[in-house]
Structure formats: structure tokens, C-alpha cells
Amino acid sequence: MGKNKTDMTKKDHLTRIYISRNEIFADVVNYAVYDGEKVISPDILEEGDTVAASYIYKGEGVKLSLERIRDARKIVRQGENDKTCYMVFGAENQSRLHYAMPVRTMIYDAIEYVRQIENRKKTFEAISDAVKNGEEPAEAPPDSEEFLSSWKANDKLVPVVTIVINFSDKKWDAPVSIHQMLDSEDDKYQRNRIIRELVPDYRFILIDPHQMSEDDFNRMHTNLKTILRAVAYASDESKSDRLTGINEEITRSEASLIKKLTGLNISIPEGKEVIKMGEGIKKLLDDSEREGERKGEAKGENKLGTLFKALEKAGRKDDAFKAAADAEYRQKLYDEFGIK
């Protein structure tokens, strides 16, 4: 595995762990779906199976498996003893742009719906077994069409919503819908417009920090907004100075995630578990400046030593004494001897 791929895998692993935390996931949903209003609380989220698997039937007795793994999947219930699933939310964390993301999310969501039908089919089979055994079934048996469909006429699907979070250092310029992946009106070989309109569109919800305003960030209620700010500001020179103005406290694990995503190595002093983001950035800049000065001094000393050796070899000791006292003359000698 190449270095870039390994690094991307580490980023994906860290973002997956972070987003899977209920309070963070709830913040994602509330921002993306409910405009920041706290509609979904962490305590009504239940961990869902991230492996989405189904089967494509092809030919007599041949069964092809289709399997996808989500980064995070949560089921919304209304209480600890409530077994009813009201919604399914999936989150995909992208450390790199994905130009076929609409198709990818459509497959995820389609498998989620197939999963619901397959679960209903198991219920029908249990009903059939109960009737055969002379037992009272849990509900009225389905009629022949319903049994064939694995779905009753009045059954309802549970909504599935996928949210994509851009953790890359680039603004998302990839498609967010199936129609954006089709020919546009100005394409030279555009297909028939009527056919295009007949193709159902499918889109996902995108959270892209590079396109978020300060008001957008402030509609988040956890440190996710701090991490997304760091992603947006660190990659944009016109906004990088805003990093020192971020007052939210971050933990060691969040500092590690920011380092992996942005390269900003924010250290938390021994004995502390948190640090204000802005203070950490100021310390990072101060340390970097001191390191730059130290390297500059060392480089200057090496450069001057090289010049003295060259002058000594050329038998120009007087020029060496003059160069030590006169910076302008010293620069002329650097140019003369080609010392950079």
C-alpha cells in the first residue's frame, strides 16, 4: 500500500471514529437536515450495522452478492424501549473528493431499502410457519400478492438519508446528484432532453467546510465545527489568520484528528487534557517562528564559514576580515563565489 493511500486510510479511520460518536452524529444530522435546530438528540440514536449487503439474482440458482460498508449508520428510535425504527441516517466521510459519489450513495440507500423488504420477508415466513404449526401469528397473514412482494399494501418504508462530509483540503467540486453526472445542456453530444427528464434524479446532502460561512459553523453545537473550521482555514491563505481566533477547547484526540487532516501539530501541555484552539495555533506559530530563526542563524553561520574557506583558499585574508565587518561587501563576495 502506497504512502498516500495509507495516509488516507488513517484519516478515514479517525474521522469514522469521531463521526460515530452519538453527540457528533446528532450534530451532523441537525445541521444538515434541520438547519442547526436540535431535533435529533444523541440518546435516541442507536448504532446500526455499517455493513449493507443484499443479493442480485442472475439466472437460475445463481446468486450474486452486493456488499457496501458505510462509514457510520444510525437508527432513530423514540426511546430506550421503543423498537420502532423511524429513520435511518448514514454518514460518509471523504478525505478526498469522489466524483461518482451520487452513484455510490444511491447504492448505499438502495441496499438499505432492500434490507427493509428482506426483513419483512422474514416476518412473512415466520407468520407462515406459525399458521402451519397451528399457532397464532403475530399479525394477519399476507395475501398472495403481498407474500410475493415481501411487502403488504399498507406497509411503509423507513426513510434513509445519507450525508457526505468533506474533510479534504479542497472545495467540493464533484457532483452531488445523478443529474449532475449526465450531459448538461451545453454538451456537444447532449442526449435527448426528454430522456434526461425521465431519468430520476438522486442526490445526497453535502457538508463542505470550504463553502460554509461563519453563520453556518455557528449552527453546529459540538467541536465538529472547530475541526471543520480548521480544515477550511488551514487550506485557504486568505482565511488562515482566523485560526488564532477560534476559542473553542479541543481535546487531545481532536488535536490528533486536526493534525492528520490539516498538518497543524497542536500540542497540549503535559497535565492538561484540553487547550483552546486559538491558543494552540498561536503557540504553534511562535514555536515555528523560533525554529525558523534558529535554522536561519545556523544557515547564516554555515554560509559565512563557506565564504571564509573560499577566501582562505584564494589567499584573500584581507577580504575575509572586511567581509566579517561589512554586510554589503560580504554579499558581494557571496555573489562572486556563487555561495547561496
Side-chain angles (χ1 to χ4, degrees):
M1 183 181 289
K3 182 179 178 181
N4 289 342
K5 190 170 183 180
T6 302
D7 189 59
M8 185 177 70
T9 301
K10 289 180 179 178
K11 289 179 182 179
D12 292 342
H13 177 68
L14 289 174
T15 55
R16 188 180 301 118
I17 292 173
Y18 190 69
I19 294 298
S20 293
R21 291 165 50 185
N22 272 13
E23 69 273 19
I24 304 299
F25 196 96
D27 202 18
V28 168
V29 174
N30 287 329
Y31 170 79
V33 179
Y34 301 107
D35 200 31
E37 186 179 348
K38 293 182 179 181
V39 175
I40 302 296
S41 62
D43 60 324
I44 67 170
L45 291 174
E46 180 180 305
E47 197 71 29
D49 186 0
T50 56
V51 178
S54 186
Y55 296 100
I56 300 174
Y57 294 89
K58 185 177 180 181
E60 188 67 28
V62 177
K63 195 161 57 174
L64 300 179
S65 175
L66 178 63
E67 181 175 290
R68 293 290 186 274
I69 301 177
R70 282 189 181 273
D71 287 340
R73 176 177 178 266
K74 301 283 184 179
I75 296 169
V76 178
R77 306 205 189 271
Q78 291 301 317
E80 186 177 346
N81 298 318
D82 188 353
K83 300 303 181 183
T84 304
C85 175
Y86 293 93
M87 284 178 279
V88 175
F89 287 104
E92 297 301 318
N93 312 313
Q94 291 300 121
S95 57
R96 298 178 70 179
L97 304 187
H98 195 306
Y99 289 93
M101 202 68 194
V103 173
R104 182 177 168 186
T105 56
M106 182 172 65
I107 292 173
Y108 285 146
D109 294 352
I111 293 177
E112 291 280 2
Y113 290 123
V114 170
R115 189 201 310 247
Q116 294 179 38
I117 294 174
E118 289 178 343
N119 287 340
R120 198 69 174 115
K121 180 180 181 180
K122 293 175 182 177
T123 303
F124 288 179
E125 290 171 349
I127 292 172
S128 179
D129 290 341
V131 171
K132 288 178 182 178
N133 296 329
E135 301 169 356
E136 184 69 26
E139 60 180 90
D143 61 30
S144 58
E145 286 84 4
E146 291 172 336
F147 192 87
L148 178 64
S149 306
S150 300
W151 202 253
K152 285 189 175 183
N154 60 351
D155 283 342
K156 304 297 179 185
L157 285 169
V158 173
V160 179
V161 178
T162 295
I163 302 166
V164 175
I165 308 166
N166 179 21
F167 284 105
S168 80
D169 59 356
K170 298 178 182 177
K171 176 182 175 181
W172 189 275
D173 64 356
V176 297
S177 71
I178 292 295
H179 275 195
Q180 289 180 6
M181 296 181 69
L182 301 177
D183 296 331
S184 60
E185 292 183 1
D186 57 354
D187 282 336
K188 183 177 180 181
Y189 300 107
Q190 183 196 5
R191 271 75 163 179
N192 190 304
R193 181 178 58 82
I194 296 175
I195 297 299
R196 176 189 174 87
E197 291 177 354
L198 289 174
V199 176
D201 199 7
Y202 201 91
R203 67 170 51 242
F204 58 85
I205 301 173
L206 173 68
I207 296 178
D208 182 12
H210 304 286
Q211 302 182 59
M212 290 171 65
S213 67
E214 284 303 306
D215 286 341
D216 291 331
F217 287 122
N218 289 330
R219 282 196 288 274
M220 290 182 169
H221 305 283
T222 67
N223 265 358
L224 175 62
K225 66 181 176 184
T226 306
I227 291 170
L228 292 179
R229 271 193 175 110
V231 169
Y233 298 164
S235 59
D236 187 340
E237 290 186 4
S238 67
K239 297 179 179 178
S240 58
D241 60 331
R242 297 184 189 179
L243 287 166
T244 57
I246 300 176
N247 292 319
E248 286 84 6
E249 291 183 333
I250 57 172
T251 63
R252 290 185 182 277
S253 63
E254 288 168 337
S256 297
L257 178 54
I258 289 172
K259 179 183 177 182
K260 181 58 67 176
L261 293 173
T262 67
L264 296 171
N265 188 12
I266 303 170
S267 61
I268 298 179
E270 289 296 327
K272 285 189 173 184
E273 289 303 316
V274 298
I275 190 173
K276 284 188 176 181
M277 176 72 172
E279 291 178 3
I281 293 295
K282 287 176 184 176
K283 184 177 183 305
L284 180 62
L285 292 175
D286 290 343
D287 292 346
S288 178
E289 185 176 348
R290 284 194 291 270
E291 178 65 13
E293 289 173 353
R294 187 189 65 76
K295 288 183 177 179
E297 290 171 358
K299 182 178 180 181
E301 291 173 0
N302 292 336
K303 188 176 179 181
L304 184 59
T306 302
L307 176 61
F308 284 168
K309 287 180 181 178
L311 290 171
E312 183 181 4
K313 187 176 181 180
R316 296 166 59 178
K317 290 185 178 180
D318 290 343
D319 282 337
F321 286 116
K322 188 175 179 180
D326 189 334
E328 186 175 346
Y329 186 66
R330 183 164 63 245
Q331 185 58 52
K332 287 182 179 179
L333 292 174
Y334 285 147
D335 294 339
E336 179 184 340
F337 284 91
I339 300 172
K340 304 295 184 183

